[in-house]
Amino acid sequence: MSHHRFWGFIKDPIYGYIRLTDVERSIIDTPSVQRLRRIRQLAGAEFVYPAANHTRFEHVLGAMYLGGVVSDSLPVDLSPDEKQKVRLAALLHDVGHAPFSHLFEPLLLKYLGRNHEDMSRWIISESALSDVIAEQGFDAKEISGLAVGKPEKSTKPFLGQIISGSFDVDKMDFVVRDSYHTGAGYGAVDVFRLIYTMDVVDGNLAVDITALPTLESLILARFESFRAIYFHRTCRGVQMMLLKALDAARDDLQILDAKTPDEYMEWDDYTVWSKLQTNPHSRDIMSDISARKLLKCAYEKTFYAKDELVSSVFTNENVRVKLEEEIASKAKIPSADIGIDVPSLPSVPYHYAMNIGPIDIPVFSKTRSGEKVPQKIGELSRVVDVLQGFMNIIRVYTKEQYREEVSHAAERVLGEAPLSNVLSY
Amino acid sequence: MSHHRFWGFIKDPIYGYIRLTDVERSIIDTPSVQRLRRIRQLAGAEFVYPAANHTRFEHVLGAMYLGGVVSDSLPVDLSPDEKQKVRLAALLHDVGHAPFSHLFEPLLLKYLGRNHEDMSRWIISESALSDVIAEQGFDAKEISGLAVGKPEKSTKPFLGQIISGSFDVDKMDFVVRDSYHTGAGYGAVDVFRLIYTMDVVDGNLAVDITALPTLESLILARFESFRAIYFHRTCRGVQMMLLKALDAARDDLQILDAKTPDEYMEWDDYTVWSKLQTNPHSRDIMSDISARKLLKCAYEKTFYAKDELVSSVFTNENVRVKLEEEIASKAKIPSADIGIDVPSLPSVPYHYAMNIGPIDIPVFSKTRSGEKVPQKIGELSRVVDVLQGFMNIIRVYTKEQYREEVSHAAERVLGEAPLSNVLSY
Amino acid sequence: MSHHRFWGFIKDPIYGYIRLTDVERSIIDTPSVQRLRRIRQLAGAEFVYPAANHTRFEHVLGAMYLGGVVSDSLPVDLSPDEKQKVRLAALLHDVGHAPFSHLFEPLLLKYLGRNHEDMSRWIISESALSDVIAEQGFDAKEISGLAVGKPEKSTKPFLGQIISGSFDVDKMDFVVRDSYHTGAGYGAVDVFRLIYTMDVVDGNLAVDITALPTLESLILARFESFRAIYFHRTCRGVQMMLLKALDAARDDLQILDAKTPDEYMEWDDYTVWSKLQTNPHSRDIMSDISARKLLKCAYEKTFYAKDELVSSVFTNENVRVKLEEEIASKAKIPSADIGIDVPSLPSVPYHYAMNIGPIDIPVFSKTRSGEKVPQKIGELSRVVDVLQGFMNIIRVYTKEQYREEVSHAAERVLGEAPLSNVLSY
Amino acid sequence: MSHHRFWGFIKDPIYGYIRLTDVERSIIDTPSVQRLRRIRQLAGAEFVYPAANHTRFEHVLGAMYLGGVVSDSLPVDLSPDEKQKVRLAALLHDVGHAPFSHLFEPLLLKYLGRNHEDMSRWIISESALSDVIAEQGFDAKEISGLAVGKPEKSTKPFLGQIISGSFDVDKMDFVVRDSYHTGAGYGAVDVFRLIYTMDVVDGNLAVDITALPTLESLILARFESFRAIYFHRTCRGVQMMLLKALDAARDDLQILDAKTPDEYMEWDDYTVWSKLQTNPHSRDIMSDISARKLLKCAYEKTFYAKDELVSSVFTNENVRVKLEEEIASKAKIPSADIGIDVPSLPSVPYHYAMNIGPIDIPVFSKTRSGEKVPQKIGELSRVVDVLQGFMNIIRVYTKEQYREEVSHAAERVLGEAPLSNVLSY
């Protein structure tokens, strides 16, 4: 079909050259996809890793590329059309992201009742983008399902798992790309080894156990990336400030009333940032960010085992507010100057936090006769087993001048915190 | 002195770890320097190299780092204070950049009568930044001179040349960094070899001729970067559109009336972009950019030798306008839809264009007795000799639908163009 | 002192430039150190990773470099002389290696009653090298102790730990370097982050717990390197063949009767290989290697928990021989064609196997008042805790034509083996 | 056909994974190809770049890989069999190399009357390797022609040019690989951009002029590699010593009387080195090399323009000998202690030296109608034009103790030399 014709290359610092078809080019050139150029991949991380200015745009191109590599190398028969669909779904999987990516997620949920994946489906199937997809001979609704890992026709569930699953192209790309741009170094994972050992077992995507070392590397890389980038004390501090500013300037942010995909997509990092800077309720916070007067972490505690009490406490916003007030009262400062952060808390959520444990990674081994036998990875790899475990961090943030008091007050309320606060930019 | 105390590290993907002193940290945390986070290094280049989203902020940190390496490795005695000044000057050398970096330069000149280096001096010596510099025990005026390569006390001209000269830390950093983020690959230059062979000859910074291969690599890398990134046909197309939008929205851009450094620094890529999107005179152009409906290059000709006639013609804006009208008339389209681009033209200027030729690269050789004898690089390296030569490109841009007619019309007016227009994203 | 004078640079693909002092140059230029150019770092690994041809020479230069970085960055006062000693010790730590590095170790033990560290001490303190060290103003005996991590004067034990300890410059260099040359990808560890957080606690080298993510990366990298490189099924197959050849040609290998360091050092990979190729008892094995007719692994089982029985069985060579005979008898092939390999077995030993568990990694945390409090890493990091665990692999090798029978026979003798044998070069 | 079946992957640090077919595996596993594991790519270079220990084996795998990429991406129809032939030819193109690669070339010519390409053809078409090729269904004679760039059937000359031409897979691989292992940094060339713009014009391989920047980078990289690696003063010094040793031990080196490919292939770096160390006529030289007592360059002069007189002088061995005697006499030392080195001299030849100028690089441009029009690269690129130029170096080597006298004597005989002798390891 003519629309699979090779159009040209895009240069990418990670993979070298990404080949595009005419179809892909048409879709990349829509405002929906181009908008991702103005949505940073890791809002807040640049305050620790100055070079982490990459955007969702590069990421979705990379995910599309890897989607193609997986489709081409899987030892099953896929038609050119199926391969094209996988690439398109990977390309569009993040099209619904709000400004500042995951940071905005709780506001989406609170005001629009949707998460970014819902937004992706909405945009793919009900905006001008849908028309372009249709013009190119594809079914926008089908692509929208595939883009969030839920293909309509369940006969080939592995197609959806390429986009969203235990070792999908989204994760593989972001682990490598975030590492490249931050320089953090955890993400030098050999994703191609993983891909070249993928197969389909009972309709599901699975990895040959011979790639176990690579799988362990990927899982550790993801784990360390959470700790060193996404959950970094300073990154989270900036994110809490931005969230406060967004809440304060809410009336100026019509994105939260968006009735159509197009109204929603008028907003990006640039427009939101500019609004926050001028809105009278948020501009002081933005001035502080601009002068790098950041909230400081006065208390931090990490849990590697599920603490039932703590967990139930922190899923309830009222309890959190109460604790903030209690700490404030003990520290004798206004409770508005206290912020408790738990990465999985709805108030400062982080998409990934929910599934940090790669619980059901499907692996198989091949018998001498070539049969593929599913294996339980937890039994084969103690590293994976451990990293599947629970990790939660509780932090208390406050202004620099209150740090000492809040630290002590928090220890009285939340228990002793073992480790020092260290220098890191 | 206490202010040279080590404060901590910043992680950089190029150099690994950048050590900061307390002084540096204080200055980095000012709004003036933090603002550089919102000014892209290569505005427009992301339309060809999607990952080229790095900012002036990372670049100035890198320049500061290299400034320190040069200071430490030069075989001359420099005091801790002198070394700190060099690092500060490198850190601040780009603090005056307008939104979209060099793209904005002609508007600065036209409306404020200054270029970005003038702005840097202004900001360093007459804004809140000056106070912070003074608090840290340094003379803001002295730093401001050094930051543009013009140290006040001429006894050590080489100190200024570290910041601005034939192989200064600015060039070394941007060649390597732009290559890293674009993936363009020309910039894998061994800058440390260059630095380790630097010395001071008659008060000036010079490179030992034994590093000639590296010098040639750097110069070729810079040359290819111009061709493949800065002067790329598509990048320039986007830049012309942005310039048009800026001109159109001029009344909404108070930056062009800035009376103080602070008024000037209120503007960055985010705020300007947001203005352009909503201003009624520029928003159509911005919509086109957002849908990647870019101006197309209908004609292109490169000159490697100085063509006196062409040169004199193109430095005169009236002549350019006349030529645009002539082509438009021959192509039978409105002359507003024709744009002639010559990289060194004031109307679409590019800071670098003026000194692409590394005319006076100071090199020396050592005699057996250790004496340093200045050499003429042009005589030792035919590669450098050639690359010092003149390069100019003339292009005619128009809307996609007029491409064919304009191409023919331009050939009639400007002469035949040898090469095809090729696919490149 | 004049002998610490800077002499020049060596280019290294990992670290860029390695600065040398005059002292170092004198010592590097001795035949003892130059001989390491002809001793491969990973004998056998090139049969899986064709580019893994790096030598001990590059490795010791790298270790010396890192030794310098650690000495310079430790926040304790070290004299220039102490720093020079650390660098020299790192440079010389592997000078005692036999041909094919670790592969030769059991023969050293069997015939000379020494391991490679004993040989290093012997060579450093009793060969022509000692004289050069003395000429340069250092005490060869002192250096020899430091080179194996046992400094004579126990007041500063951390100096020895820089060379040989839980995260010494030896390990840091080989993890990164082996990864670079194999392309295996596990070793992209940020060793500088580790180094910059090192400190001395109670006289011992320790790492600030803030670098935990990097520590975990290093430990996983080391673990994966064992599995993917050092213990790789095919690498071990080649190594078993080489060991067989060495045993067979023993009478021609006067190295095993070496009375002096100089007699010992006459032998390197080149001379041993040439001997093995011509010796009538070994040349058939060498022909097989040269035609890549390698021993095949017919059975493999990995233990992640200490199996007392298995362990006691395999430390006794007689038991191993008995098992080989039993398998051979069941498979109805000559027992000479069966080889049981257990990485920690003395017969095919691997230096690393003994301390794969980084048992006592000293870490500390800093209190707010700056006090350094030792921590137990196992309690802070479940990843480290797991990776400290036991890993042992038992494999049965045989000729390709007997693979099937031996596989079945081994399963009857040693129990079922869970995983398939996979393609890998 | 079954023999094109995918067999598995080999890991390569440059390209990641190299896919092998069953055919390729069979041929790689022959002793002829495996022998290349023991022939270093850059004999002598390790004395300047300690990590440059890579072998011809990795290089031919890399060339095979690139051969496949070119075959797959050329916009012409090639059958699976043709593509397989190209890959095999690339794999086998260096199979005829003597120990120490190019260093041995003059001895091959002098004693066997063949160069290494003749040896490759001989081995491919008349050894056990031929049988394996035939078993796999290919014509050994046809492959042997293709392997040296001279395909028998001249209807598709471009197939041969993929292996041996202006920008063949041999050059592309060695420029990148030598840079990786030396760390020299000149070779970070984007060879994939070059490959993706290749096409066939009038039966010949040509590059689209849009890739001119990359072409210039490749040519500069090659040029700098000559200067910084292959022609490096110290590398050449080691090579001269090795050549002297080879000449002296000639009677022990039966390779020079080889009557069959198999006799020839018994020799590799390991066996030759071992012979030279024990042969009474060469062992002193080898001791000097082992103690890094290298010949020193006492005089050096570079010519960038063809000097007719010098040129004619140096192609005549007698003239060279005379000059050596003249210098020796003036310096009052034995003439045996003088060695004149001119890279293109038959006595110390260097394969590359003959065609450093990439004289006839075929490039084309595409017209709007898609027609491919050949272009003259010299007219389009002044960089290429300059680098096509002549470069010759004359050096006089002697023992360290005679350096001063020889330097003066050489200046009197050969004219003044402009530059100092610099430190480099």
Side-chain angles (χ1 to χ4, degrees), chain A residues 116-394:
Chain A
H116 81 275
E117 295 201 336
D118 300 327
M119 300 310 284
S120 288
R121 296 192 76 156
W122 194 34
I123 292 170
I124 299 173
S125 57
E126 294 180 37
S127 77
L129 176 57
S130 327
D131 303 332
V132 178
I133 295 172
E135 274 165 32
Q136 297 296 333
F138 290 88
D139 175 349
K141 211 155 168 47
E142 184 187 355
I143 300 292
S144 82
L146 200 54
V148 297
K150 290 165 193 147
E152 303 214 322
K153 294 164 198 153
S154 59
T155 55
K156 294 188 176 176
F158 69 88
L159 292 181
Q161 292 154 1
I162 296 174
I163 315 299
S164 180
S166 298
F167 27 69
D168 55 44
V169 296
D170 177 25
K171 278 186 202 66
M172 289 192 287
D173 187 77
F174 81 65
V175 162
V176 175
R177 193 170 299 275
D178 291 352
S179 175
Y180 185 85
H181 285 285
T182 56
Y186 306 114
V189 175
D190 185 356
V191 295
F192 295 97
R193 177 153 168 71
L194 218 56
I195 291 176
Y196 295 152
T197 58
M198 285 183 187
D199 205 333
V200 174
V201 180
D202 302 332
N204 293 296
L205 202 62
V207 159
D208 192 314
I209 195 67
T210 58
L212 183 60
T214 312
L215 206 50
E216 291 178 349
S217 294
L218 178 69
I219 291 167
L220 188 75
R222 198 161 148 264
F223 177 81
E224 300 295 7
S225 294
F226 271 88
R227 215 162 36 179
I229 307 173
Y230 317 135
F231 288 175
H232 189 284
R233 195 183 294 168
T234 306
C235 302
R236 299 289 298 176
V238 176
Q239 291 177 355
M240 290 189 76
M241 294 176 78
L242 282 172
L243 266 180
K244 275 193 177 189
L246 289 167
D247 251 340
R250 191 253 169 273
D251 290 342
D252 242 9
L253 296 171
Q254 294 88 344
I255 180 176
L256 296 173
D257 310 305
K259 295 283 176 297
T260 66
D262 287 315
E263 284 173 29
Y264 177 76
M265 286 189 290
E266 268 167 31
W267 294 84
D268 56 35
D269 288 9
Y270 287 21
T271 50
V272 169
W273 185 278
S274 299
K275 269 285 183 260
L276 297 181
Q277 274 196 313
T278 50
N279 180 288
H281 305 294
S282 56
R283 80 182 156 208
D284 286 351
I285 303 175
M286 299 309 283
S287 286
D288 280 349
I289 293 179
S290 294
R292 217 180 189 282
K293 287 186 198 147
L294 304 183
L295 286 181
K296 295 296 174 185
C297 179
Y299 176 91
E300 169 176 331
K301 195 166 188 174
T302 303
F303 299 85
Y304 290 102
K306 209 159 198 155
D307 181 311
E308 282 307 329
L309 179 68
V310 171
S311 184
S312 73
V313 165
F314 286 103
T315 49
N316 185 328
E317 185 158 0
N318 292 333
V319 180
R320 180 173 64 80
V321 172
K322 273 235 164 85
L323 285 171
E324 288 175 352
E325 283 166 1
E326 195 180 337
I327 295 169
S329 138
K330 286 203 169 29
K332 300 193 174 110
I333 62 166
S335 77
D337 286 335
I338 297 282
I340 292 184
D341 179 36
V342 180
S344 58
L345 252 195
S347 70
V348 189
Y350 210 85
H351 162 73
Y352 309 109
M354 290 140 201
N355 60 341
I356 193 177
I359 296 168
D360 284 316
I361 296 176
V363 292
F364 66 90
S365 65
K366 259 191 200 149
T367 63
R368 257 164 228 152
S369 58
E371 205 194 341
K372 287 167 275 183
V373 183
Q375 302 284 339
K376 296 211 169 153
I377 191 161
E379 293 174 6
L380 294 170
S381 166
R382 292 181 60 202
V383 173
V384 173
D385 191 42
V386 161
L387 291 178
Q388 281 179 343
F390 186 82
M391 178 179 85
N392 241 335
I393 305 172
I394 307 177

Side-chain angles (χ1 to χ4, degrees), chain D residues 49-62:
Chain D
Y49 301 100
N53 293 312
H54 51 304
T55 71
R56 292 276 150 192
F57 186 70
E58 301 124 89
H59 165 58
V60 298
L61 292 176

